[in-house]
Amino acid sequence: MKFIVKILLTAIVVYALSKLLEPHIMIRAFSTAIVFALVLAVLNFIVKPLLVILTIPLTIITLGLFLLVINMLIVLLADKFVSGIHIENYTWAFIFSLILSVFTMILNRLKKKWSF
């Protein structure tokens, strides 16, 4: 149940961000945002840990800022897997992933605070 709520919250944030950044990031429908959130969850579970392990030296040199680049790459990879979403370029993918990370972090903290 927690997984479904997390996917739905992520889909809401993704859809809202796409409307906010409309000319550069476009999502056709809310159902596409749900599929995109599912693909992001799978990629974050499988691919992201591998990328983090492979880039440990670079992450240490940049004091952890390279993790933002990894988040951007995960978003771009999810964009390639899901039809119905278009992200214009790397800059907008970086902005999108940064805002998405901040909002999901806030939602996770609120969810933990309200959970019993």
Side-chain angles (χ1 to χ4, degrees):
M1 185 68 170
K2 290 181 183 181
F3 179 72
I4 294 171
V5 171
K6 191 171 186 176
I7 292 297
L8 287 175
L9 287 175
T10 304
I12 291 169
V13 172
V14 164
Y15 192 70
L17 280 177
S18 73
K19 295 303 175 191
L20 182 68
L21 305 171
E22 180 74 36
H24 308 289
I25 297 170
M26 292 182 278
I27 296 179
R28 284 190 206 153
F30 185 70
S31 59
T32 306
I34 293 173
V35 173
F36 185 75
L38 279 168
V39 171
L40 270 178
V42 170
L43 290 174
N44 280 331
F45 184 73
I46 297 172
V47 177
K48 189 174 180 179
L50 296 173
L51 287 176
V52 169
I53 289 171
L54 291 174
T55 60
I56 285 176
L58 191 56
T59 303
I60 291 171
I61 290 171
T62 62
L63 301 175
L65 291 176
F66 192 72
L67 293 173
L68 296 173
V69 175
I70 292 174
N71 283 341
M72 177 197 65
L73 292 174
I74 295 294
V75 165
L76 285 173
L77 191 59
D79 172 41
K80 298 299 179 198
F81 285 132
V82 178
S83 63
I85 183 168
H86 173 70
I87 299 176
E88 190 173 301
N89 55 25
Y90 293 109
T91 304
W92 288 104
F94 183 79
I95 292 168
F96 181 78
S97 67
L98 184 65
I99 296 171
L100 180 64
S101 297
V102 168
F103 274 106
T104 53
M105 179 186 67
I106 291 169
L107 287 174
N108 284 335
R109 288 191 182 188
L110 288 175
K111 191 179 73 165
K112 285 180 183 177
K113 188 176 182 180
W114 291 337
S115 295
F116 296 105

